[in-house]
Amino acid sequence: LGFYPGEYTLISQLIMASAGEKRCIVIGADMDQEEMNDYIKDNIEIPKNIRLICRSVDVFDPKALEKCAVSDSMSIIVSPSDDFTTTKILLALSKVINRKDNEKVRIGAITSSPACRFPETIAKEHNITTLMANQTIAKIIAHSCVQPGLSETFSEVFNFEGSELFAIPCEGAAGLTFEELTMKMDRGVPAGIFREGAFMVNPSSEAVIKAEDKILVFAKDRFSPVITDKEVPAEDPGYTKAAMKEEYGTVTVIRANESVRTIIQELPENLNRIIFTNVPDIYRDEMLNLAREKGDIPVEFLTQDLSDTSALTKLAERSDHIIVLADHEKDDDTSDMETIFLILNLKDIRTRCALNYNITAEMRREYNQSLLGNDENTDFIVASDMSSLFLAQLSESPELVSVFNELLSLEGNELYLKKAGTLECDGEKTAAQIRRNALRHGYIFIGYKKKNENSCFDPALEEVIRLDPEDSLIVIGEE
């Protein structure tokens, strides 16, 4: 429900998730249906297995929503929008999806503010699942700024291309410890255990698999993983479990919005300094307190005209990582265009002055980000794009809602890029050896990324991998 020209990630993901099976996708919005149809077919290839229907409807009118067959749907997705629009659509749906004959219809939505989150009892009654977008985006921004490429990794893990998360029966795994299962499972990586109605992501290495358990795996499909009968490889003689600490330098935050609190909380502790530019006074005391809580990280507040190239250059010269936040007080397009001009200038300064800082930019709309090309040192966290990925996963895998919530929340296990050297996984090792070393440090190894190369997920157990200390491991774990 809801359609925005230029925003096609959600539809594309649902098509990919169909995996060739017949499916009907109905799109309802306050827009001419022929116009919607033309926009979509001009930008997305619709395969023969997909029946696409566009409906021009008032998405706030419960009776009009029946034109979209909401009562007969497998799931209903509210396209990423502002909180008031999303809430009004959810209220309209609650008038329709509350009868016994459609109680299994699932509803997924994204909201930004906790104030607009449906109360638990109402959400449960109408089968509504909402994710908090701003907190999730803020977390990804904080981690991406010191781990360049992490936003791309999030996109790869949460889209339907390549490997995904599945819950599968534990055939052949009963009696094994989680570490033994990690060493023996090929064509899939064990990431957790489903037991007594709940998922344990990244459980203890000594946890013993029971016959009635299901295994949470990261794999190309739910049928790929196999448990081999090969011997567990010998202990790595160089292993010490003495992970090196990574130093991250200076982080500069340009602008501020309500997400800045979460960003400071999620930044690593071993920073040299945090510089805030053009931050409203209302945030300053809180920023200072949060920095103190993280170990008395020095904080500096600057107020300057960032359209002045010389001022921006001086700021860039002092920075190792630059975060550009969106202005949530302005409409999406205005905020994004201001961000685009700022990024263009920062890229120009980086090239002219031979600097090597990385840029992490928050943008609101997918079609605006597409105007800028990607490069190795610039990460774009696009709110509508990320939200669409999460919504598609919720729609396709409702049984994994608690897992997605944990990976996307500020507590529990999360996705990280860790330097191979810090987890003693550099040099020449098999994937099985890397799995074990990472697990001993508390992480599930799901892939790796070499500098200037694409990410590689779920390598075969016996694949020999050579990693430099600065190459990245893609892992799930707790900090």
Side-chain angles (χ1 to χ4, degrees), residues 433-450:
Q433 289 172 320
I434 294 175
R435 279 191 191 184
R436 178 157 57 191
N437 281 11
L439 195 62
R440 296 285 172 86
H441 283 286
Y443 295 101
I444 305 287
F445 166 65
I446 65 171
Y448 62 91
K449 187 180 191 309
K450 294 186 178 184

Side-chain angles (χ1 to χ4, degrees), residues 21-32:
E21 295 183 1
K22 286 187 177 182
R23 171 170 292 183
C24 178
I25 300 175
V26 182
I27 299 166
D30 185 13
M31 186 176 179
D32 179 75

Side-chain angles (χ1 to χ4, degrees), residues 206-371:
E206 288 78 38
V208 178
I209 313 299
K210 299 179 180 179
E212 61 271 22
D213 291 342
K214 283 188 175 182
I215 309 299
L216 178 68
V217 298
F218 184 71
K220 285 187 169 55
D221 59 65
R222 64 179 66 251
F223 308 107
S224 292
V226 293
I227 297 175
T228 67
D229 56 3
K230 293 171 183 166
E231 291 295 319
V232 174
E235 187 78 41
D236 186 341
Y239 177 79
T240 63
K241 201 178 180 180
M244 297 185 299
K245 278 210 166 186
E246 297 182 38
E247 296 294 332
Y248 294 113
T250 296
V251 170
T252 296
V253 182
I254 296 177
R255 300 199 198 104
N257 54 43
E258 67 276 11
S259 301
V260 74
R261 300 178 183 89
T262 299
I263 289 171
I264 303 309
Q265 290 170 327
E266 287 290 302
L267 284 172
E269 293 179 0
N270 42 331
L271 296 174
N272 293 341
R273 180 177 297 271
I274 304 174
I275 300 173
F276 293 100
T277 65
N278 301 352
V279 172
D281 291 341
I282 58 170
Y283 291 111
R284 293 196 176 198
D285 287 344
E286 189 173 9
M287 297 302 97
L288 285 169
N289 289 335
L290 288 172
R292 286 193 198 103
E293 289 172 9
K294 296 186 76 67
D296 278 331
I297 300 172
V299 174
E300 190 174 335
F301 293 98
L302 302 176
T303 301
Q304 53 193 160
D305 179 7
L306 295 179
S307 64
D308 179 346
T309 304
S310 61
L312 190 60
T313 301
K314 288 178 182 176
L315 181 66
E317 288 172 341
R318 300 180 60 196
S319 306
D320 297 293
H321 316 280
I322 297 177
I323 296 172
V324 182
L325 293 180
D327 188 338
H328 292 179
E329 298 298 314
K330 297 180 179 176
D331 67 81
D332 289 350
D333 285 331
T334 301
S335 174
D336 280 354
M337 287 314 297
E338 289 179 357
T339 298
I340 285 172
F341 282 118
L342 195 50
I343 291 169
L344 290 173
N345 281 308
L346 286 169
K347 284 184 171 185
D348 176 61
I349 292 167
R350 187 168 60 192
T351 301
R352 285 190 294 103
C353 301
L355 301 173
N356 62 359
Y357 54 82
N358 55 283
I359 306 166
T360 305
E362 176 192 12
M363 297 189 72
R364 307 306 293 166
R365 286 293 168 187
E366 177 186 339
Y367 54 79
N368 290 324
Q369 189 274 319
S370 65
L371 299 173

Side-chain angles (χ1 to χ4, degrees), residues 124-145:
K124 188 174 181 180
E125 178 185 354
H126 301 294
N127 220 354
I128 296 170
T129 302
T130 55
L131 289 176
M132 296 297 298
N134 279 359
Q135 278 194 331
T136 299
I137 299 298
K139 187 194 82 168
I140 297 173
I141 289 169
H143 293 192
S144 294
C145 87

